[in-house]
Amino acid sequence: MKPASKVFTALIMIFLFAPIVILLVFSFNEAKSLSVFSGFSLYWYRELFRDSETLNAVKNTLVLAVCAAAISTVMGTAAAVGINKLRNRYLHAVMDTVTNIPMINPEIITGISLMLMFVFVGRLFGAATSLSFWTMLIAHVTFCLPYVILQVLPKLQQMDASLPEAAMDLGCTPLRAFFKVEIPEILPGIITGLIMAFTLSLDDFVISYFTAGNGFQTLPIRIYSMTKKTVTPKMYALATIIFFVILALLLISNLSDSDGSRAIKAARQKRKNLKAQNSI
Amino acid sequence: MKKYAPSQRSILHKLVLAPYSIWAALFILVPLAFVAYYAFTDSDFNFTFENISRFFTATSMISDGEGTREVYTYLLIFARSLKLAVISTFICLLMGYPMAYIMSKASSRTQKVLVTLIMIPMWMNFLIRTYAWMTILQDTGILNGLLGFVGLGPVHIIGTESAVVIGMVYDYFPYMILPIYSVMAKMDVKLIEAARDLGCNSFGVLRRVVWPLSLPGVISGVIMVLIPSISTFYISQKLGNGKFYLIGDAIEGQYVANNLHFAAAIAFILMVILLVCMAFMQRYANKKAVVA
């Protein structure tokens, strides 16, 4: 890199990380001040772990994210398989457009639209409030689905279509061919989709805000209500913990990623060798 | 050996698509219809244009340095949202384009590290990111502390439009870099070499080769920054001290006030405007691609 490029990159990184570093530093502040560092202390971390409402929100967020990711991955993978096999051009275009809607529409509109429907249907059945864990789960699955489909579909298109056919010619049932041949081929896409769905669900605030019932609070909603009042550095402690968890997950996934690609390369090499032998 | 007829398989493929089709119809399309339904009805669900016309005609009095005036409330809010979102998008592009270019030229190892670094802030919740800027930009915050340290006077940023723009740029910056970078990383280096060989200078290469080729990335970056920043409702509340009501705040405000029909009307208008803009941009992009 040229010196000018290095300076520019450094400036951008300072811009991106200055707020995060400040959060980290002031989470260890002794006093409540967010501008003067008066001394090191773990006081705010102790406070955080005494805050049962926040801890409960963490639990809720994880439960919701696991459910939403699992449902959207299974349904999204099945949808990608179906869309990939659609021969009708117009149906294909309709599917593409509908799938794009939640990604292109502003989150606030997705949130409002689902909320309006839930409220309307709830009133139809005479319920005072229809918003609950279930409405939130529906909302999360809905906005995660397109991302899963978008990860799996290209893998299906790259796959050699004769592979599952060969399996069926050799006596596999279509279902068995799907699980034994297609799934292993598209697994990287499914896993990326699963991870994306999980993190999108964990992080979502806007859509959750409109579809959450009173009884079920996720972490972003808890943070929102915490920042409405004057904030204690307790929230900074929470942000610091989240940051390090994310960092650890990223490092692990990067390491396993390079392991995975190595394994794939090895497998390819093996296949090549076999081919060479067969041709002889 | 049992063989499976193609028709049997195609039924299977349709079955596999069924759950998603039903889900998408119920939870993507029907809710959008509900936005339109609420937008065009009153609280007894009788048809009315009132909510839509209220958006265009409601007025309120504002007083600023130039005295007290009467303004169109929601048109002003929309114009302000558009202005701040366009400024933020432009700044993101100005910062993101060179960054993406530098990244695409770096060694593959450096590229990987930089992409990860740019993505890390995205994984922090955007409420926390915005809140961090609030503490930095406060009158007694860290920025003014630093400025005072080097002998520059305190600046008042929090509660101004600049603070809102800073928040938007920070929150959505990665969405600008990553699409541009992914297009640039795939760009054929031979094209640049060919342009050089044919006597193009560096600026010419950038203007005639790199920029047109990166245009699809730029367009998706612009859309990905413009849409969330035009519809945000938290940033302006925190960094603008609630003084700069944006279109997202208007929707949220009506929702909190349980005024669902008017909230739906604002959302409906926003959606229609964005759809028209996007169709326009897509057409422009296609035309440009043909020319290039």
Side-chain angles (χ1 to χ4, degrees):
Chain A
M1 266 199 262
K2 289 182 207 157
S5 304
K6 272 187 188 155
V7 171
F8 187 79
T9 309
L11 285 176
I12 294 284
M13 289 304 150
I14 290 173
F15 173 67
L16 282 176
F17 283 92
I20 294 174
V21 170
I22 287 164
L23 283 183
L24 300 190
V25 171
F26 279 92
S27 72
F28 296 106
N29 198 1
E30 202 173 46
K32 205 171 175 170
S33 167
L34 300 175
S35 46
V36 183
F37 194 83
S38 45
F40 180 86
S41 132
L42 288 176
Y43 176 77
W44 300 111
Y45 287 84
R46 256 199 314 276
E47 283 290 290
L48 177 70
F49 283 106
R50 281 198 195 123
D51 183 349
S52 61
E53 208 176 331
T54 303
L55 295 182
N56 196 37
V58 171
K59 194 195 82 192
N60 286 346
T61 311
L62 288 174
V63 170
L64 183 68
V66 167
C67 293
I71 297 172
S72 57
T73 304
V74 172
M75 207 193 311
T77 305
V81 170
I83 292 174
N84 189 44
K85 285 280 146 71
L86 272 182
R87 287 287 162 262
N88 186 323
R89 262 197 18 223
Y90 296 101
L91 268 182
H92 210 291
V94 167
M95 274 310 197
D96 276 354
T97 312
V98 173
T99 305
N100 273 326
I101 290 175
M103 291 196 296
I104 292 173
N105 240 351
E107 282 181 304
I108 195 167
I109 291 181
T110 307
I112 280 273
S113 70
L114 283 162
M115 179 270 296
L116 289 174
M117 184 178 78
F118 292 144
V119 168
F120 187 87
V121 173
R123 272 208 205 126
L124 224 55
F125 288 104
T129 169
S130 51
L131 300 176
S132 64
F133 167 75
W134 298 104
T135 55
M136 238 175 146
L137 181 62
I138 289 173
H140 278 229
V141 170
T142 305
F143 74 72
C144 289
L145 269 168
Y147 293 92
V148 175
I149 294 175
L150 225 70
Q151 291 302 323
V152 178
L153 205 51
K155 298 280 173 225
L156 280 165
Q157 284 157 353
Q158 284 163 19
M159 186 183 69
D160 189 349
S162 52
L163 277 178
E165 272 159 30
M168 282 183 272
D169 281 348
L170 293 170
C172 259
T173 63
L175 215 59
R176 207 176 136 92
F178 176 71
F179 282 109
K180 285 265 173 189
V181 180
E182 284 190 57
I183 290 273
E185 281 285 314
I186 60 175
L187 199 61
I190 298 176
I191 289 175
T192 320
L194 181 78
I195 293 171
M196 275 183 93
F198 183 72
T199 53
L200 282 169
S201 168
L202 276 188
D203 205 43
D204 176 72
F205 165 67
V206 176
I207 295 171
S208 306
Y209 176 77
F210 287 105
T211 52
N214 289 330
F216 195 81
Q217 198 180 32
T218 62
L219 192 58
I221 293 175
R222 172 77 187 141
I223 293 170
Y224 179 70
S225 58
M226 277 167 97
T227 56
K228 271 213 147 160
K229 300 167 227 148
T230 47
V231 176
T232 60
K234 196 159 71 176
M235 211 198 72
Y236 285 23
L238 178 64
T240 306
I241 294 173
I242 295 173
F243 177 76
F244 281 111
V245 169
I246 290 164
L247 206 64
L249 287 177
L250 270 180
L251 285 177
I252 292 167
S253 81
N254 263 0
L255 287 178
S256 62
D257 194 32
S258 52
D259 279 352
S261 55
R262 225 174 285 144
I264 290 169
K265 263 183 211 152
R268 276 206 196 118
Q269 194 56 47
K270 224 179 186 177
R271 217 185 285 165
K272 246 187 219 163
N273 291 345
L274 275 177
K275 256 187 205 160
Q277 275 176 8
N278 287 346
S279 64
I280 295 165
Chain B
M1 206 188 291
K2 202 174 167 189
K3 290 271 181 188
Y4 292 89
S7 63
Q8 231 172 326
R9 265 186 258 156
S10 94
I11 290 168
L12 216 84
H13 285 128
K14 290 217 171 79
L15 267 180
V16 124
L17 192 53
Y20 175 67
S21 308
I22 296 167
W23 188 282
L26 273 183
F27 300 120
I28 296 175
L29 297 178
V30 173
L32 290 182
F34 266 101
V35 174
Y37 180 55
Y38 269 76
F40 287 102
T41 52
D42 60 19
S43 52
D44 296 321
F45 293 101
N46 296 318
F47 179 81
T48 175
F49 267 121
E50 191 151 327
N51 300 312
I52 302 287
S53 70
R54 182 174 162 197
F55 181 89
F56 291 100
T57 55
T59 57
S60 55
M61 305 298 283
I62 57 160
S63 38
D64 52 19
E66 297 151 32
T68 308
R69 294 171 283 145
E70 193 177 26
V71 292
Y72 287 109
T73 317
Y74 294 101
L75 295 182
L76 182 77
I77 290 172
F78 185 76
R80 184 191 289 139
S81 303
L82 189 66
K83 184 182 88 180
L84 295 186
V86 167
I87 293 173
S88 307
T89 308
F90 187 68
I91 294 174
C92 280
L93 183 62
L94 228 54
M95 286 162 58
Y97 197 85
M99 190 64 228
Y101 185 72
I102 290 169
M103 278 162 73
S104 72
K105 288 271 159 290
S107 68
S108 70
R109 201 191 170 80
T110 316
Q111 284 188 26
K112 215 177 166 187
V113 172
L114 286 176
V115 169
T116 312
L117 283 175
I118 284 166
M119 280 173 75
I120 286 176
M122 271 168 86
W123 292 55
M124 298 286 283
N125 192 279
F126 103 103
L127 301 167
I128 293 176
R129 281 181 281 162
T130 309
Y131 197 79
W133 276 102
M134 194 174 135
T135 61
I136 294 174
L137 298 177
Q138 267 167 1
D139 287 345
T140 55
I142 290 148
L143 183 74
N144 273 324
L146 278 177
L147 284 176
F149 190 71
V150 293
L152 289 166
V155 284
H156 175 70
I157 297 184
I158 196 89
T160 66
E161 288 188 344
S162 315
V164 180
V165 168
I166 290 175
M168 286 180 180
V169 168
Y170 185 76
D171 282 344
Y172 305 125
F173 184 50
Y175 296 116
M176 181 64 86
I177 293 190
L178 294 175
I180 300 177
Y181 161 74
S182 68
V183 170
M184 280 182 169
K186 278 183 233 143
M187 206 152 55
D188 194 347
V189 192
K190 281 182 203 132
L191 287 173
I192 296 173
E193 282 166 8
R196 280 250 159 75
D197 285 347
L198 294 170
C200 221
N201 59 18
S202 299
F203 181 71
V205 168
L206 193 66
R207 195 174 65 90
R208 289 169 177 236
V209 182
V210 177
W211 173 256
L213 283 176
S214 63
L215 211 58
V218 171
I219 295 215
S220 55
V222 166
I223 290 176
M224 283 174 83
V225 173
L226 196 65
I227 288 180
S229 49
I230 205 170
S231 59
T232 181
F233 75 86
Y234 182 76
I235 298 173
S236 46
Q237 284 171 16
K238 284 292 136 190
L239 298 176
N241 285 350
K243 275 189 289 183
F244 302 102
Y245 223 55
L246 299 182
I247 202 81
D249 301 294
I251 297 176
E252 193 244 1
Q254 297 298 328
Y255 166 69
V256 171
N258 210 12
N259 207 343
L260 298 185
H261 294 269
F262 190 49
I266 304 175
F268 182 77
I269 293 167
L270 178 64
M271 199 163 68
V272 169
I273 293 172
L274 287 179
L275 268 178
V276 171
C277 287
M278 226 123 63
F280 185 72
M281 268 175 97
Q282 220 63 53
R283 178 159 296 180
Y284 172 78
N286 289 342
K287 217 183 268 171
K288 271 272 168 178
V290 170
V291 172

